[in-house]
Amino acid sequence: MNNPLHIIFLGAPGAGKGTQAQKLVEKYGIPQLSTGNMLREAIEEGTEVGKQAQEVMNRGDLVPDSVVLKIIADRIVQDDCQKGFILDGFPRTVAQAEGLDQMMADNSLDLTHVFCLNVNDDVVVERQSGRLFAPKSGRVYHEKNNPPKVAGKCDVTGEELVKRDDDSEEVVRHRLSVYREQTAPVKDYYLKQGLVQEFNGCQEVETVFGELVAAIESAQAAA
Ligand code: AP5
């Protein structure tokens, strides 16, 4: 049996983290833990966490570290994470990365991959403005680059696709500046641990996916 996969996706908003994470879920049968999706669910359900997060997310700022650390600490110990998990949108600050290291050590787990998807700002704005989102399943599409089979409907659940509240150009540009200030240092944190593998996220979805799978398979073969 293959070793558990514990994957982190780093990259700017719109780099394709969610898109690639979904494809890895289908291939390897391990869950995608997207803090963005979990926070959006909490907003939808009207929980205390959702109430705290809504305004912050609509502005494009980061939700407090303590809130997301608790969400992830509770999630990684669930049964479906035994064969591994894919972290999408977490960690986003050095404090979150340090918290994750502690959680992994507490549960005798090792990070296996830190994948960094590199894109430029213009690509990000174009992708976010065309993004379509399935609120229940968390699947993402793009009006032109990755359209659903039936316009406006999720391929898998059939639910209505929507635009995200934080995908306006103004908020996307703010999210990019937050990324540069608070999340870019997370890459340095993992570079020091020798874990980062970089990918050109401007390529076609399938090309990026092929490169990610090759990286995983080569590490599994060497283990
Ligand atoms: P979150 O939901 O994590 O958003 P994000 O990191 O800004 O990332 P995105 O979901 O925008 O982009 P992505 O890289 O997943 O791209 P996608 O695959 O969708 O976070 C939202 C908010 O929640 C944050 O601003 C913050 O407030 C809060 N939050 C979340 N986590 C937090 C944390 N840990 N700490 C604190 N706060 C937190 O692709 C984008 C589009 O491009 C899609 O339309 C897709 O179809 C298309 N596309 C993807 N790949 C390609 C390709 N190769 N070619 C062409 N089109 C492509």
Side-chain angles (χ1 to χ4, degrees):
M1 196 184 98
N2 286 335
N3 293 323
L5 290 170
H6 299 123
I7 299 171
I8 291 178
F9 269 109
L10 298 179
K17 306 179 296 290
T19 300
Q20 296 299 334
Q22 273 167 25
K23 293 180 73 64
L24 293 180
V25 166
E26 280 156 29
K27 181 159 178 74
Y28 293 105
I30 54 173
Q32 168 193 12
L33 312 186
S34 158
T35 39
N37 287 352
M38 290 189 251
L39 290 165
R40 280 184 285 277
E41 270 167 36
I43 292 173
E44 195 64 30
E45 288 163 10
T47 67
E48 207 40 57
V49 165
K51 284 180 197 148
Q52 280 180 48
Q54 184 158 29
E55 208 185 307
V56 180
M57 288 175 74
N58 285 348
R59 280 199 312 264
D61 286 321
L62 295 185
V63 171
D65 290 336
S66 56
V67 172
V68 282
L69 280 165
K70 166 118 184 45
I71 291 177
I72 292 295
D74 291 346
R75 188 66 187 81
I76 65 170
V77 292
Q78 290 178 17
D79 282 352
D80 64 336
C81 289
Q82 281 190 1
K83 285 200 298 178
F85 50 77
I86 303 165
L87 293 167
D88 162 15
F90 175 93
R92 247 178 160 96
T93 62
V94 171
Q96 290 179 21
E98 289 167 349
L100 176 64
D101 272 352
Q102 188 59 53
M103 275 178 230
M104 297 293 282
D106 291 347
N107 291 288
S108 306
L109 303 174
D110 291 317
L111 281 175
T112 52
H113 301 276
V114 178
F115 292 147
C116 182
L117 303 181
N118 297 315
V119 287
N120 59 50
D121 288 9
D122 291 339
V123 166
V124 165
V125 172
E126 191 273 325
R127 283 186 185 176
Q128 309 286 53
S129 63
R131 172 159 54 191
L132 298 168
F133 173 68
K136 289 205 178 68
S137 70
R139 287 183 170 76
V140 282
Y141 301 86
H142 188 278
E143 285 163 350
K144 282 190 249 156
N145 306 335
N146 183 20
K149 293 187 182 108
V150 175
K153 306 266 185 215
C154 176
D155 292 350
V156 180
T157 60
E159 69 191 287
E160 206 72 40
L161 301 177
V162 297
K163 296 258 184 193
R164 263 174 48 178
D165 291 339
D166 58 351
D167 272 351
S168 68
E169 177 164 352
E170 190 192 351
V171 178
V172 169
R173 293 215 182 264
H174 180 65
R175 282 161 58 205
L176 278 167
S177 72
V178 170
Y179 174 78
R180 275 190 276 273
E181 280 162 31
Q182 299 186 54
T183 307
V186 175
K187 181 173 161 187
D188 297 332
Y189 181 87
Y190 290 116
L191 277 170
K192 284 186 198 133
Q193 297 185 16
L195 284 170
V196 177
Q197 288 175 281
E198 310 221 37
F199 299 85
N200 174 2
C202 296
Q203 304 175 98
E204 299 279 321
V205 171
E206 290 304 327
T207 309
V208 179
F209 182 60
E211 292 182 4
L212 294 170
V213 170
I216 292 171
E217 304 288 319
S218 117
Q220 294 274 8

Coordinates of all heavy atoms in Angstrom, one line a residue, residues 51-86:
K51 N -20.3 33.7 11.3 CA -20.6 35.1 11.6 C -19.3 35.9 11.7 O -19.2 37.0 11.2 CB -21.4 35.3 12.8 CG -22.9 34.9 12.6 CD -23.7 35.0 13.9 CE -25.0 34.2 13.7 NZ -25.4 33.6 15.0
Q52 N -18.3 35.3 12.3 CA -17.0 36.0 12.5 C -16.3 36.2 11.1 O -15.6 37.2 10.9 CB -16.0 35.2 13.3 CG -16.2 35.2 14.8 CD -15.2 34.3 15.5 OE1 -14.0 34.3 15.2 NE2 -15.7 33.5 16.4
A53 N -16.5 35.2 10.2 CA -15.7 35.2 9.0 C -16.3 36.0 7.9 O -15.5 36.5 7.0 CB -15.6 33.7 8.5
Q54 N -17.6 36.2 7.9 CA -18.3 36.7 6.6 C -17.7 38.1 6.2 O -17.3 38.2 5.0 CB -19.8 36.9 6.9 CG -20.5 37.3 5.6 CD -22.0 36.9 5.6 OE1 -22.6 36.9 6.7 NE2 -22.5 36.7 4.5
E55 N -17.7 39.0 7.1 CA -17.2 40.4 6.7 C -15.8 40.4 6.3 O -15.4 41.0 5.3 CB -17.4 41.3 7.9 CG -17.7 42.7 7.5 CD -17.7 43.6 8.7 OE1 -18.5 43.3 9.7 OE2 -16.9 44.6 8.8
V56 N -14.9 39.6 7.1 CA -13.5 39.5 6.8 C -13.3 39.0 5.4 O -12.5 39.5 4.6 CB -12.8 38.6 7.8 CG1 -11.3 38.5 7.5 CG2 -13.1 39.1 9.2
M57 N -14.0 37.9 5.0 CA -13.8 37.3 3.7 C -14.3 38.2 2.6 O -13.7 38.3 1.5 CB -14.6 35.9 3.7 CG -13.8 34.9 4.5 SD -14.7 33.3 4.6 CE -14.5 32.6 3.0
N58 N -15.4 38.9 2.8 CA -15.9 39.7 1.7 C -15.0 40.9 1.5 O -14.9 41.4 0.3 CB -17.3 40.3 2.1 CG -18.4 39.3 2.0 OD1 -18.2 38.2 1.4 ND2 -19.6 39.5 2.5
R59 N -14.2 41.3 2.5 CA -13.2 42.3 2.3 C -11.9 41.8 1.6 O -11.1 42.5 1.1 CB -12.7 42.9 3.6 CG -13.6 43.9 4.3 CD -12.8 44.7 5.4 NE -12.0 43.9 6.3 CZ -12.3 43.5 7.5 NH1 -13.5 43.7 7.9 NH2 -11.5 42.8 8.2
G60 N -11.7 40.4 1.7 CA -10.5 39.8 1.1 C -9.4 39.7 2.1 O -8.3 39.5 1.8
D61 N -9.7 39.9 3.4 CA -8.7 39.8 4.5 C -8.7 38.4 5.0 O -9.6 37.6 4.7 CB -8.9 40.8 5.6 CG -8.6 42.2 5.2 OD1 -7.6 42.4 4.5 OD2 -9.3 43.2 5.5
L62 N -7.7 38.1 5.9 CA -7.6 36.8 6.5 C -8.4 36.6 7.7 O -8.4 37.5 8.6 CB -6.2 36.4 6.7 CG -5.2 36.3 5.5 CD1 -3.9 35.8 6.0 CD2 -5.8 35.3 4.5
V63 N -9.1 35.5 7.9 CA -9.8 35.1 9.1 C -8.7 34.9 10.2 O -7.6 34.4 9.9 CB -10.7 33.9 8.8 CG1 -11.3 33.3 10.1 CG2 -11.7 34.2 7.8
P64 N -9.0 35.2 11.5 CA -7.9 35.0 12.5 C -7.3 33.5 12.5 O -8.0 32.5 12.3 CB -8.7 35.2 13.8 CG -9.8 36.1 13.5 CD -10.2 35.7 12.1
D65 N -6.0 33.5 12.8 CA -5.3 32.2 12.8 C -6.0 31.2 13.7 O -6.1 30.0 13.4 CB -3.9 32.4 13.3 CG -3.0 33.1 12.3 OD1 -3.3 33.1 11.1 OD2 -2.0 33.8 12.7
S66 N -6.4 31.7 14.9 CA -7.0 30.7 15.9 C -8.2 30.0 15.3 O -8.4 28.8 15.6 CB -7.4 31.5 17.2 OG -8.3 32.5 16.9
V67 N -9.0 30.7 14.5 CA -10.2 30.1 14.0 C -9.9 29.0 13.0 O -10.4 27.9 13.1 CB -11.1 31.2 13.3 CG1 -12.3 30.6 12.5 CG2 -11.5 32.2 14.3
V68 N -8.9 29.3 12.0 CA -8.6 28.2 11.0 C -7.8 27.1 11.6 O -8.0 26.0 11.2 CB -8.0 28.8 9.8 CG1 -8.9 29.5 8.9 CG2 -6.8 29.7 10.1
L69 N -7.0 27.4 12.6 CA -6.2 26.3 13.2 C -7.1 25.3 13.9 O -6.9 24.1 13.8 CB -5.2 26.9 14.2 CG -3.9 27.5 13.6 CD1 -3.2 28.4 14.6 CD2 -3.0 26.4 13.1
K70 N -8.2 25.8 14.5 CA -9.1 24.9 15.2 C -9.9 24.1 14.2 O -10.0 22.9 14.3 CB -10.1 25.8 16.1 CG -11.3 25.0 16.6 CD -11.3 25.0 18.1 CE -12.5 24.2 18.7 NZ -12.8 22.9 18.1
I71 N -10.3 24.7 13.1 CA -11.0 24.0 12.0 C -10.1 22.8 11.5 O -10.6 21.7 11.4 CB -11.3 24.9 10.8 CG1 -12.4 25.9 11.2 CG2 -11.8 24.1 9.6 CD1 -12.7 27.0 10.2
I72 N -8.8 23.1 11.2 CA -8.0 22.1 10.7 C -7.6 21.0 11.7 O -7.6 19.8 11.4 CB -6.7 22.7 10.1 CG1 -7.1 23.5 8.8 CG2 -5.6 21.6 9.7 CD1 -7.6 22.7 7.6
A73 N -7.4 21.4 13.0 CA -7.1 20.5 14.0 C -8.2 19.4 14.2 O -8.0 18.2 14.4 CB -6.8 21.2 15.3
D74 N -9.4 19.9 14.1 CA -10.6 19.0 14.3 C -10.7 18.1 13.0 O -11.2 17.0 13.1 CB -11.9 19.8 14.4 CG -12.0 20.6 15.7 OD1 -11.2 20.3 16.6 OD2 -12.8 21.5 15.8
R75 N -10.3 18.6 11.9 CA -10.6 17.9 10.6 C -9.6 16.8 10.3 O -10.0 15.7 9.9 CB -10.6 19.0 9.5 CG -11.1 18.4 8.1 CD -12.6 18.0 8.2 NE -12.9 17.4 6.9 CZ -12.7 16.1 6.6 NH1 -12.1 15.3 7.5 NH2 -13.1 15.6 5.4
I76 N -8.3 17.1 10.6 CA -7.3 16.1 10.2 C -7.4 14.8 11.0 O -6.7 13.8 10.6 CB -5.9 16.6 10.2 CG1 -5.4 17.0 11.6 CG2 -5.7 17.8 9.2 CD1 -3.9 17.3 11.6
V77 N -8.1 14.8 12.1 CA -8.1 13.5 12.9 C -9.4 12.7 12.5 O -9.6 11.6 13.1 CB -8.1 13.8 14.4 CG1 -6.8 14.4 14.8 CG2 -9.3 14.8 14.8
Q78 N -10.2 13.1 11.6 CA -11.3 12.4 11.2 C -10.9 11.2 10.3 O -9.9 11.1 9.7 CB -12.4 13.3 10.5 CG -13.0 14.3 11.5 CD -13.9 15.2 10.9 OE1 -14.5 15.0 9.8 NE2 -14.2 16.3 11.6
D79 N -11.8 10.1 10.3 CA -11.5 8.9 9.7 C -11.1 9.0 8.3 O -10.2 8.3 7.8 CB -12.7 7.9 9.8 CG -12.9 7.3 11.2 OD1 -11.9 7.5 12.0 OD2 -13.9 6.7 11.4
D80 N -11.8 9.8 7.5 CA -11.5 9.9 6.1 C -10.1 10.5 5.8 O -9.7 10.5 4.6 CB -12.6 10.7 5.3 CG -12.6 12.2 5.7 OD1 -12.2 12.5 6.8 OD2 -13.1 13.0 4.9
C81 N -9.4 11.0 6.8 CA -8.0 11.5 6.6 C -6.9 10.5 6.8 O -5.7 10.8 6.7 CB -7.8 12.7 7.5 SG -8.8 14.2 7.0
Q82 N -7.3 9.2 7.1 CA -6.3 8.2 7.5 C -5.4 7.9 6.4 O -4.2 7.6 6.6 CB -7.0 7.0 8.0 CG -7.4 7.2 9.4 CD -7.8 5.9 10.1 OE1 -7.8 4.8 9.5 NE2 -8.2 6.0 11.4
K83 N -5.9 8.0 5.1 CA -5.0 7.7 4.0 C -4.3 9.0 3.4 O -3.6 8.9 2.5 CB -5.8 7.1 2.8 CG -6.1 5.6 3.1 CD -6.5 4.8 1.8 CE -7.7 5.4 1.1 NZ -8.1 4.8 -0.1
G84 N -4.6 10.1 4.1 CA -4.0 11.3 3.7 C -5.0 12.5 3.5 O -6.2 12.2 3.7
F85 N -4.5 13.6 3.2 CA -5.4 14.8 2.9 C -4.6 15.8 2.1 O -3.4 15.8 2.0 CB -5.9 15.4 4.2 CG -4.8 15.7 5.3 CD1 -4.0 16.8 5.2 CD2 -4.7 14.8 6.4 CE1 -3.0 17.0 6.1 CE2 -3.7 15.1 7.3 CZ -2.9 16.2 7.2
I86 N -5.4 16.7 1.5 CA -4.9 17.8 0.7 C -5.3 19.1 1.3 O -6.5 19.4 1.4 CB -5.4 17.7 -0.8 CG1 -5.1 16.3 -1.4 CG2 -4.8 18.8 -1.6 CD1 -5.9 16.0 -2.6

